[in-house]
Amino acid sequence: MANSWCAHLRADPVPWLLEAENPATRYLTLRDILDRPAGDPDLLAAQAAIPGYAPVAELLARQKRDGYWVKRDYCLPKLNGTFWVLCVLGDLGLTAEHPLIRQSCGFMFSFQRERGPFCRRRRVAGKGILWDSQPGPCTHARIVRFLIQFGYGDDPHLRAAIDWLLASQRSDGMWDCGRPTRPGCLRATHDVLRVAAIDARAAADPAIARAAVAMRDLLMESGMHRYHVSIPWTTLQWPPFDYSLPTTLQSLARLGYTLADPKLTEATDYLLSRQLADGSWPLDQTSSRPPFDPGPPGKPSKWVTLEVLQALKLLLGTASGVEGTTAG
């Protein structure tokens, strides 16, 4: 890489990310790190190869006829049900141009209620199948995010879902998961900001500015368990089913935050300090049963490396040479 922001890196991981064996990281590296245009032949070829990538192909092959995975309750089983699978597939570059993804999106839209929220329908003993009264905001935000990624950003039903989400914000700028008297949920706030990072209309809403302030204030702080999450900022995980430092920094950078902010400088310095000598970043932790195996913790991870590079490019690429930001 010839860009000046790359001077902060210990080594260049891009050739590793571009290896053909993983077309998803190849595609996203070409798009997000190397800025290949939409019609670039290499970009298109990598994207076309993603459904055939073994972990993705195996997931798609397990889809049920009506577009769901395992159970009709889209949240179950935890980490392997439809919701969890689609969260991952959305981040890998698939779109509703693929018929199986389009079918799954139709399945998810069948759970949307009139006011916009996506709610589960569950069987209750003696009462039959009932709707939940309202969704958890983190689950709802992640559904909105992958539907945008799949190509439904202009769909009026999706816009109603975003409106519901923004209107459910707490007065402190965060969201909560049914705990109104306790601190807001960092996971939910993280997930809403990830929606705004890829949707300009949501990003322009005043609710997002308030949420970004709340997230920035908590950046790199300890004691995050008070905010309904179970890991510290310093843990590099994939998939980011809890929350993650690289994805938070991506969102804040896309919302206008820069390394002029000491909190973002501290976080960026931490990520740079975690880079290994070969240019990669390690996977610290993954969920116990992710939709597909991201590799062993403690080893270099293409998934983590790509997410960190996406964040660093956004921050260092607009403020290369900011004092206090070094390769450590």
Side-chain angles (χ1 to χ4, degrees), residues 219-242:
L219 195 63
M220 303 306 288
E221 296 293 328
S222 60
M224 290 297 99
H225 60 278
R226 293 176 296 158
Y227 297 92
H228 206 201
V229 293
S230 59
I231 64 170
W233 285 105
T234 51
T235 299
L236 300 177
Q237 64 163 293
W238 199 91
F241 284 156
D242 206 342

Side-chain angles (χ1 to χ4, degrees), residues 180-209:
T181 62
R182 299 183 63 186
C185 178
L186 188 65
R187 180 191 296 114
T189 308
H190 162 270
D191 293 336
V192 175
L193 289 182
R194 291 193 81 199
V195 169
I198 61 172
D199 185 84
R201 279 182 279 176
D205 193 283
I208 296 302

Side-chain angles (χ1 to χ4, degrees), residues 272-324:
L272 288 169
S273 77
R274 293 295 310 276
Q275 190 180 29
L276 303 176
D278 64 2
S280 67
W281 276 263
L283 175 69
D284 292 336
Q285 178 178 305
T286 190
S287 55
S288 59
R289 302 183 310 278
F292 69 79
D293 184 5
K299 299 294 184 181
S301 167
K302 285 189 174 182
W303 309 107
V304 173
T305 298
L306 176 61
E307 282 196 344
V308 172
L309 279 189
Q310 288 168 325
L312 292 179
K313 183 187 176 209
L314 288 168
L315 289 165
L316 296 172
T318 57
S320 185
V322 170
E323 184 178 356

Side-chain angles (χ1 to χ4, degrees), residues 37-153:
D40 178 81
D42 291 338
L43 185 76
L44 294 175
Q47 187 177 31
I50 294 171
Y53 174 46
V56 174
E58 291 168 9
L59 274 178
L60 294 176
R62 294 201 295 267
Q63 186 195 63
K64 303 296 185 182
R65 183 175 59 186
D66 292 339
Y68 65 92
W69 278 264
V70 189
K71 295 178 179 288
R72 289 186 179 275
D73 182 333
Y74 60 78
C75 273
L76 296 178
K78 186 175 181 181
L79 304 178
N80 280 157
T82 305
F83 164 79
W84 308 93
V85 171
L86 293 178
C87 283
V88 171
L89 293 181
D91 281 342
L92 299 191
L94 290 170
T95 73
E97 291 183 4
H98 192 290
L100 295 182
I101 298 297
R102 187 163 59 251
Q103 186 175 32
S104 288
C105 292
F107 173 78
M108 290 305 307
F109 273 119
S110 74
F111 288 89
Q112 188 176 25
R113 307 203 71 176
E114 289 184 5
R115 295 180 296 110
F118 290 91
C119 293
R120 297 165 68 189
R121 293 191 296 264
R122 292 185 282 182
R123 185 175 296 279
V124 178
K127 297 182 179 180
I129 297 176
L130 303 178
W131 284 94
D132 280 0
S133 59
Q134 65 179 22
C138 54
T139 302
H140 180 85
R142 292 185 191 199
I143 293 170
V144 167
R145 177 177 165 80
F146 65 62
L147 288 172
I148 293 173
Q149 290 172 316
F150 292 144
Y152 290 89

